[in-house]
């Protein structure tokens, strides 16, 4: 078990470093400012409302998924109410909204290109994690 945990940490660390260096290179290439850590970075009030709507819908679906799982047989799964699927959809929806709002309203036109590249990289990583059971290290 310790070996699996160490491998999981290693995979996440490698991906984190990869994403860090890609971001650093893209920021210089596209001349995009670094956003504050742990901030939502909304482009305008419309983006803020859309983002919070997506978040509230995600939370509602989490509760629906939880209460559905509690009442059903543990071996019966509804795939679209699984937490990892909901999280993936949330990330895609939230970041897609960011890309659209940055394309339409951002002062720096390269912001949306940077966000799009980030979205593609994170989506590929998450899809590969979900489809390979974390590269064969665990079963979801």
């Amino acid at each position: 078990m310790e070996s699996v945990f160490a491998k999981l940490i290693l995979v996440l660390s490698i991906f984190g470093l990869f994403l860090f260096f890609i971001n650093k290179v893209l920021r210089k290439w596209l001349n995009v400012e670094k956003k504050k850590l742990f901030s939502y970075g909304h482009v305008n009030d419309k983006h803020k409302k859309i983002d919070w709507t997506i978040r509230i819908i995600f939370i509602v679906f989490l509760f629906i998924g939880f209460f559905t799982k509690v009442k059903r047989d543990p071996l019966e799964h509804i795939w679209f109410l699984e937490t990892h699927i909901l999280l993936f959809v949330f990330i895609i929806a939230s970041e897609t909204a960011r890309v659209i709002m940055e394309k339409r309203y951002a002062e720096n036109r390269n912001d949306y290109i940077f966000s799009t590249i980030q979205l593609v990289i994170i989506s590929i990583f998450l899809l590969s994690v979900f489809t390979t059971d974390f590269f064969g290290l665990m079963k979801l």
Side-chain angles (χ1 to χ4, degrees), residues 112-130:
Y112 87 94
I113 296 170
F114 177 78
S115 297
T116 303
I117 293 170
Q118 262 190 330
L119 175 61
V120 168
I121 291 170
I122 291 171
S123 298
I124 290 170
F125 177 73
L126 289 176
L127 276 173
S128 63
V129 165
F130 293 148

Side-chain angles (χ1 to χ4, degrees), residues 27 34 48 68 70 78 93 98 101 103 106 114 116 120 129-130 136:
R27 284 192 193 286
K34 186 175 182 178
K48 187 175 184 179
T68 303
V70 168
I78 301 175
R98 172 181 305 284
M101 296 307 285
K103 182 167 174 68
F114 177 78
T116 303
V120 168
V129 165
F130 293 148

Side-chain angles (χ1 to χ4, degrees), residues 12 15 19 40 47 50-51 53-59 61-62 82-100 102 115-130:
L12 290 175
F15 176 71
L19 193 59
Y40 297 120
H47 180 207
I50 291 170
D51 188 53
T53 301
I54 292 169
R55 291 171 190 272
I56 290 168
I57 290 170
F58 169 69
I59 291 169
F61 272 103
L62 278 178
E82 294 290 324
T83 306
H84 61 282
I85 300 295
L86 290 174
L87 185 61
F88 181 72
V89 171
F90 167 71
I91 290 170
I92 298 297
S94 180
E95 290 302 308
T96 301
R98 172 181 305 284
V99 167
I100 291 169
E102 285 177 347
S115 297
T116 303
I117 293 170
Q118 262 190 330
L119 175 61
V120 168
I121 291 170
I122 291 171
S123 298
I124 290 170
F125 177 73
L126 289 176
L127 276 173
S128 63
V129 165
F130 293 148

Side-chain angles (χ1 to χ4, degrees), residues 23 31 36 49 57 129 131:
N23 285 347
N31 196 22
K36 294 177 185 174
K49 289 176 186 175
I57 290 170
V129 165
T131 57

